[in-house]
């Protein structure tokens, strides 16, 4: 009788285990099984409150309270509703910044590895826009018209705001040239241009092709160059201005 009782107990245990197994069977399909998107592992993200891109993930805390993890500020949420095993939501870098974003690198090194080197023969862009991808390729972001150029621009940092911007390579260093001939003996022609910098190291002046000495033969101010011919007492550096002398000014900004 004892043996029959033990067998009966074992049978009840086996039935209970089968019942538990049938409830907790592994979900192998992510397909929805109801009109509202419910699967056997739970309801998928509500697309009225969350989109496939830049949406949310619903979670519960350790007390069972429902909450949503929201994606924003440069992160993108990709949701696959039909993978093997159920729903898979992935957060990845890339998206739209919704707030000003700063990374503190004090005392640390911030670097991007794997960037391509620009070959010396590559030509810089001459007409860039704010698009991520120019030419005829797909636009990632930005509001401008896709550029038809395939060259490159240069990233710079605005020290006033910390914002990263891009400029044309031709705008990184601007140059200027001015050429004027003297018309009266002993009278210096006016050498003026608004873009001339007030920095002797950035301005070169030539008289009939010969380089004048910065600080001795000429001085500079913002927008102008003043010729200072040397007196005979300063031989052999003395010189004068004659009618027909051609003065050429070159500068960089």
């Amino acid at each position: 009788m004892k043996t029959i009782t033990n067998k009966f107990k074992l049978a009840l245990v086996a039935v209970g285990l089968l019942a538990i197994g049938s409830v907790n069977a592994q979900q192998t399909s992510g397909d929805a099984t109801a009109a509202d998107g419910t699967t056997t592992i739970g309801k998928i993200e509500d697309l009225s409150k969350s989109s496939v891109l830049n949406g949310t993930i619903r979670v519960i805390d350790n007390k069972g309270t429902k909450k949503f993890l929201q994606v924003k500020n440069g992160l993108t949420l990709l949701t696959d509703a039909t993978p093997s095993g159920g729903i898979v939501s992935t957060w990845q870098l890339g998206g739209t910044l919704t707030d000003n974003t700063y990374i503190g690198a004090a005392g640390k090194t911030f670097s991007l590895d794997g960037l391509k080197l620009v070959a010396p023969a590559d030509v810089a862009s001459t007409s860039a826009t704010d698009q991520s991808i120019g030419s005829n390729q797909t636009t990632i972001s930005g509001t401008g018209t896709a550029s038809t150029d395939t060259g490159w621009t240069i990233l710079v940092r605005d020290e006033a705001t910390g914002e990263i911007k891009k400029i044309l390579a031709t705008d990184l260093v601007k140059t200027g040239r001015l050429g004027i001939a003297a018309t009266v003996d002993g009278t210096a022609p006016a050498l003026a241009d608004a873009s001339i910098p007030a920095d002797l190291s950035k301005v070169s002046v030539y008289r009939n092709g010969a380089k004048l000495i910065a600080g001795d033969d000429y001085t500079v101010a913002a927008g102008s160059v003043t010729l200072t011919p040397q007196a005979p007492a300063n031989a052999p550096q003395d010189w004068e201005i004659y009618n027909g002398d051609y003065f050429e000014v070159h500068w960089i900004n």
Side-chain angles (χ1 to χ4, degrees):
M1 185 66 177
K2 185 176 180 180
T3 301
I4 294 175
T5 301
N6 290 340
K7 288 182 178 180
F8 180 71
K9 290 180 180 179
L10 290 174
L12 289 177
V13 172
V15 170
L17 290 176
L18 288 174
I20 294 173
S22 64
V23 172
N24 295 325
Q26 181 180 357
Q27 169 69 23
T28 59
S29 173
D31 295 334
T33 56
D36 65 352
T38 299
T39 69
T40 54
I41 62 170
K43 189 178 184 303
I44 66 171
E45 295 180 49
D46 188 345
L47 295 185
S48 66
K49 300 178 180 178
S50 166
S51 60
V52 175
L53 294 177
N54 295 321
T56 57
I57 296 177
R58 187 174 66 177
V59 297
I60 60 171
D61 63 16
N62 59 352
K63 295 296 184 181
T65 302
K66 295 179 181 178
K67 297 180 179 179
F68 286 88
L69 299 179
Q70 186 177 6
V71 175
K72 62 176 294 186
N73 208 30
L75 295 178
T76 298
L77 173 65
L78 301 176
T79 301
D80 184 354
T82 58
S84 176
I87 301 169
V88 174
S89 295
T90 303
W91 287 358
Q92 68 178 26
L93 188 64
T96 301
L97 292 181
T98 57
D99 303 293
N100 294 334
T101 303
Y102 300 91
I103 298 176
K108 304 295 180 181
T109 299
F110 179 77
S111 176
L112 297 175
D113 292 335
L115 298 179
K116 292 183 179 179
L117 292 175
V118 176
D122 287 349
V123 179
S125 174
T126 57
S127 59
T129 69
D130 62 355
Q131 296 286 18
S132 296
I133 298 181
S135 191
N136 295 320
Q137 299 187 47
T138 303
T139 299
I140 293 179
S141 64
T143 58
T145 303
S147 172
T148 57
D149 280 350
T150 57
W152 40 271
T153 54
I154 298 173
L155 293 181
V156 295
R157 182 179 185 270
D158 187 336
E159 289 297 318
T161 63
E163 184 178 6
I164 301 299
K165 300 179 180 178
K166 65 180 181 179
I167 64 173
L168 296 173
T170 53
D171 290 338
L172 180 63
V173 177
K174 289 188 174 182
T175 62
R177 176 192 174 277
L178 174 66
I180 297 179
T183 57
V184 179
D185 288 347
T187 301
L191 302 175
D193 187 287
S195 61
I196 294 176
D199 187 340
L200 279 173
S201 66
K202 296 181 178 181
V203 181
S204 298
V205 181
Y206 300 84
R207 172 182 179 243
N208 299 323
K211 173 71 168 62
L212 298 180
I213 299 175
D216 291 337
D217 297 329
Y218 65 92
T219 60
V220 299
S224 66
V225 172
T226 300
L227 297 173
T228 55
Q230 298 294 308
N234 294 329
Q237 301 299 332
D238 58 320
W239 63 282
E240 298 181 40
I241 297 175
Y242 297 104
N243 180 17
D245 281 348
Y246 188 78
F247 293 90
E248 193 174 22
V249 183
H250 293 265
W251 64 89
I252 61 174
N253 286 317

